[in-house]
């Protein structure tokens, strides 16, 4: 039979509370643990095996509380985390029987520990924290811190804060204790574990990003040093383009690491905001509030500052990479300009050589054609100097005319060279005809 919260308002007979936190998505594990606790404490309830979790419609009002002769067990869904609660009874001050019950619970849950986000034990005592814990739990009390939380004095023993918490309640506000134990404390406690787990993950990620950034900056420095010290004549466009590819890869990797850092910072910032919101409802004293934050999330806050510094360094590395890419691209442009200049010089040399060859060929065939058309006897009577001069003028005019025609077709615009070379060519032909006619009459 399901018990309401009011039925455990009188917590005078509760000596110990134990919580385990499991991802809500692990529904099978939660049901197995719940069924196991029902068997351990011999709780008979038709609803004890019918707890609905996840996105399904809940058949129960959470927290679910089932009361037995030895203990009350509870189940609280806190978003993505589910808390399984065990409240053990004690007629006297905390005794060995309760510790044995806790050990029995731990043994029963041991095979599920890989699924736990965290585990906490709360001792409810009328005596001092030392009297409550020293004889029963293996916990150092030398640095125990006491806070007033929700009107209740709670001492916190320093243990492995990532996986295990110990609390000692030694001054009770009975009116609010039921709500505090079943809902408010596990909601805050589970969030502390969540933040701690994420901080461990992001700490390793921070170290990984830090090492990768240093490695990429070393590569970047080597490339920049090589091309700033290299002589222009020793540069190779192929090598430069290869370095551009390498720099692009470095830039993309840095951007990926920057996204990781920003994502980690944003997630931790949201969790810490939720933590602050919940904690402010519990602790009124500002000094206690700050001390509690330092105790549980101090390392996470420190890690956030380190991530902010990582963000700054990654932006600086990205700027350096962009600057190096620009340096290498400038070298590529210089090398291409230099190659283009040499190609232009070679092109001019080739054009000049081609022009001389063209001039020689045209001149040779012009003489042959002149001799053939005017007969050999007449051609031999024309003075050699006149023949050579006329032939050279004609060949030069032909070469100039062909280049002028090419420019005309290229630009679709008439040019003066076309007219002059055409007139000179025509005048040379007339000179050939006249000189052949004069030599034939002589």
């Amino acid at each position: 039979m399901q018990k309401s919260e009011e039925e455990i308002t009188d917590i005078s007979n509760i000596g110990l509370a134990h919580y385990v936190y499991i991802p809500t998505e692990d529904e099978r594990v939660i049901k197995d643990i719940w069924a196991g606790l029902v068997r351990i404490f011999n709780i008979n309830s038709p609803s004890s095996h019918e707890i609905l979790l996840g996105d399904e419609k809940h058949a129960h009002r959470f927290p679910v509380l089932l009361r037995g002769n030895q203990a009350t067990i509870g189940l609280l869904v806190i978003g993505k985390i589910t808390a399984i609660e065990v409240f053990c009874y004690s007629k006297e001050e905390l005794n060995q029987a309760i510790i044995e019950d806790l050990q029995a619970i731990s043994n029963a849950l041991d095979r599920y520990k890989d699924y736990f986000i965290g585990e906490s034990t709360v001792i409810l005592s009328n005596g001092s924290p030392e009297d409550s814990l020293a004889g029963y739990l293996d916990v150092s009390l030398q640095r125990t811190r006491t806070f007033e939380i929700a009107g209740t004095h709670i001492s916190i023993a320093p243990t492995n804060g990532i996986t295990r918490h110990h609390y000692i309640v030694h001054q009770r506000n009975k009116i609010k204790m039921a709500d505090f134990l079943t809902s408010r404390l596990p909601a805050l406690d589970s969030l502390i574990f969540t933040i701690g787990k994420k901080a461990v993950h992001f700490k390793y990620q921070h170290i990984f990003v830090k090492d990768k950034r240093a490695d990429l900056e070393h590569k970047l420095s080597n490339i920049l040093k090589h091309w700033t010290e290299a002589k222009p004549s020793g540069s190779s466009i192929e090598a430069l383009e290869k370095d551009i590819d390498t720099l692009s890869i470095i830039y993309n990797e840095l951007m990926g690491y920057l996204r990781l850092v920003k994502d980690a910072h944003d997630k931790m910032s949201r969790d810490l905001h939720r933590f602050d919101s919940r904690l402010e409802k519990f602790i009124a004293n500002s000094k206690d509030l700050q001390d509690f934050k330092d105790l549980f999330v101090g390392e996470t806050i420190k890690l956030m500052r380190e991530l902010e510094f990582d963000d700054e360094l990654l932006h600086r590395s990205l700027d350096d990479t962009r600057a190096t890419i620009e340096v290498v691209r400038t070298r590529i442009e210089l090398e291409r300009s230099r190659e283009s200049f040499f190609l232009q010089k070679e092109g001019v040399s080739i054009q000049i050589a081609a022009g001389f060859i063209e001039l020689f060929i045209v001149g040779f065939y012009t003489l042959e054609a002149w001799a053939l058309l005017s007969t050999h006897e007449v051609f031999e009577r024309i003075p050699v100097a006149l023949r050579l001069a006329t032939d050279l003028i004609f060949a030069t005019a032909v070469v100039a005319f062909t280049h002028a025609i090419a420019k005309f077709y290229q630009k679709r615009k008439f040019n003066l060279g076309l007219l002059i070379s055409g007139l000179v060519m025509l005048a040379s032909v007339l000179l050939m005809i006249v000189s052949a006619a004069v030599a034939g009459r002589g």
Side-chain angles (χ1 to χ4, degrees):
M1 180 176 64
Q2 183 178 338
K3 300 291 181 180
S4 66
E5 179 182 317
E6 288 74 13
E7 292 182 60
I8 66 162
T9 299
D10 181 9
I11 46 80
S12 58
N13 63 338
I14 294 178
L16 179 146
H18 189 72
Y19 306 89
V20 293
Y21 305 105
I22 303 169
T24 303
E25 63 184 18
D26 293 327
E27 184 175 344
R28 181 190 59 79
V29 175
I30 295 170
K31 286 185 174 181
D32 286 350
I33 292 175
W34 182 257
L37 293 174
V38 167
R39 288 193 299 271
I40 289 173
F41 294 108
N42 194 25
I43 299 174
N44 296 317
S45 171
S47 64
S48 61
H49 300 283
E50 301 172 3
I51 305 301
L52 300 180
L53 305 172
D55 295 329
E56 301 179 53
K57 182 178 180 181
H58 296 312
H60 304 274
R61 179 175 64 87
F62 289 99
V64 175
L65 297 170
L66 301 179
R67 190 177 184 90
N69 294 325
Q70 292 177 268
T72 292
I73 61 174
L75 185 138
L76 174 69
V77 177
I78 316 162
K80 295 182 179 180
I81 298 175
T82 293
I84 296 178
E85 311 165 339
V86 180
F87 305 100
C88 295
Y89 309 142
S90 172
K91 294 181 180 180
E92 306 170 359
E93 182 66 20
L94 182 66
N95 56 42
Q96 188 63 36
I98 290 183
I99 301 301
E100 290 173 358
D101 285 342
L102 178 61
Q103 188 60 51
I105 295 167
S106 297
N107 292 339
L109 300 180
D110 189 61
R111 65 193 182 103
Y112 300 106
K113 284 188 181 296
D114 289 342
Y115 295 93
F116 291 180
I117 292 172
E119 188 175 9
S120 293
T121 301
V122 179
I123 303 295
L124 288 91
S125 168
N126 292 320
S128 67
E130 291 78 4
D131 293 339
S132 301
L133 280 181
Y136 300 108
L137 300 176
D138 184 20
V139 177
S140 172
L141 300 177
Q142 294 178 359
R143 291 166 49 223
T144 298
R145 306 275 297 278
T146 301
F147 302 91
E148 184 178 338
I149 301 178
T152 300
H153 288 274
I154 294 182
S155 293
I156 299 169
T159 54
N160 181 0
I162 301 299
T163 58
R164 196 79 166 85
H165 293 159
H166 284 101
Y167 302 97
I168 312 106
V169 175
H170 51 93
Q171 180 178 328
R172 312 182 191 182
N173 182 331
K174 293 185 178 181
I175 296 176
K176 298 181 179 179
M177 185 56 65
D179 174 62
F180 179 75
L181 289 177
T182 60
S183 300
R184 301 181 72 186
L185 178 61
L188 178 65
D189 196 37
S190 63
L191 181 57
I192 293 172
F193 280 119
T194 300
I195 292 173
K197 291 282 187 182
K198 288 182 181 180
V200 170
H201 170 72
F202 292 137
K203 181 68 176 180
Y204 285 120
Q205 181 178 288
H206 157 70
I207 295 171
F208 171 78
V209 169
K210 182 179 178 181
D211 291 342
K212 284 293 185 181
R213 181 183 56 78
D215 182 51
L216 293 174
E217 283 190 343
H218 180 69
K219 291 180 181 178
L220 183 67
S221 177
N222 287 340
I223 292 173
L224 183 60
K225 183 178 179 181
H226 172 73
W227 291 117
T228 52
E229 293 180 354
K231 295 181 179 180
S233 59
S235 301
S236 163
I237 289 181
E238 291 77 12
L240 286 163
E241 289 179 339
K242 185 178 179 181
D243 280 339
I244 284 287
D245 292 338
T246 302
L247 288 167
S248 298
I249 293 171
I250 290 174
Y251 187 86
N252 289 334
E253 286 189 35
L254 287 170
M255 283 297 297
Y257 297 141
L258 181 61
R259 283 192 290 270
L260 283 177
V261 167
K262 285 185 177 295
D263 182 62
H265 186 276
D266 290 346
K267 286 180 178 177
M268 287 198 297
S269 180
R270 287 195 295 269
D271 284 343
L272 286 175
H273 179 72
R274 289 169 55 207
F275 175 79
D276 287 342
S277 298
R278 290 184 186 180
L279 192 60
E280 287 171 358
K281 297 175 182 177
F282 290 149
I283 302 178
N285 184 288
S286 59
K287 185 179 184 304
D288 280 353
L289 185 69
Q290 188 59 49
D291 288 347
F292 194 91
K293 287 179 66 174
D294 291 342
L295 180 64
F296 281 110
V297 297
E299 289 300 314
T300 302
I301 294 171
K302 180 181 176 182
L303 177 59
M304 284 189 65
R305 288 196 291 266
E306 291 176 348
L307 291 176
E308 289 167 2
F309 187 56
D310 283 345
D311 184 283
E312 181 182 338
L313 291 178
L314 284 166
H315 273 104
R316 191 181 304 168
S317 297
L318 284 167
D319 291 340
D320 291 344
T321 305
R322 281 193 291 265
T324 306
I325 289 173
E326 289 304 313
V327 169
V328 178
R329 280 179 175 165
T330 301
R331 294 299 294 265
I332 290 176
E333 291 174 3
L334 288 173
E335 289 303 312
R336 284 181 174 159
S337 298
R338 188 175 291 107
E339 287 190 0
S340 176
F341 176 71
F342 286 127
L343 288 174
Q344 287 176 0
K345 287 179 67 177
E346 290 180 4
V348 171
S349 300
I350 291 171
Q351 286 178 350
I352 292 171
F356 276 113
I357 293 171
E358 187 179 0
L359 187 66
F360 174 79
I361 292 173
V362 172
F364 175 79
Y365 283 105
T366 299
L367 288 173
E368 289 292 321
W370 191 2
L372 182 63
L373 293 174
S374 61
T375 71
H376 186 69
E377 293 80 5
V378 173
F379 184 73
E380 288 296 328
R381 294 193 194 110
I382 300 173
V384 174
L386 180 60
R387 279 184 282 168
L388 292 176
T390 305
D391 182 61
L392 180 60
I393 293 170
F394 179 77
T396 303
V398 169
V399 171
F401 186 77
T402 56
H403 284 276
I405 287 289
K407 287 183 179 180
F408 173 76
Y409 277 104
Q410 184 179 7
K411 298 182 179 180
R412 297 294 178 182
K413 184 178 179 182
F414 181 79
N415 57 79
L416 188 60
L418 183 64
L419 176 63
I420 294 172
S421 59
L423 292 174
V424 172
M425 190 170 55
L426 181 60
S428 301
V429 172
L430 292 175
L431 182 59
M432 291 178 194
I433 295 171
V434 170
S435 60
V438 172
R441 286 198 294 268

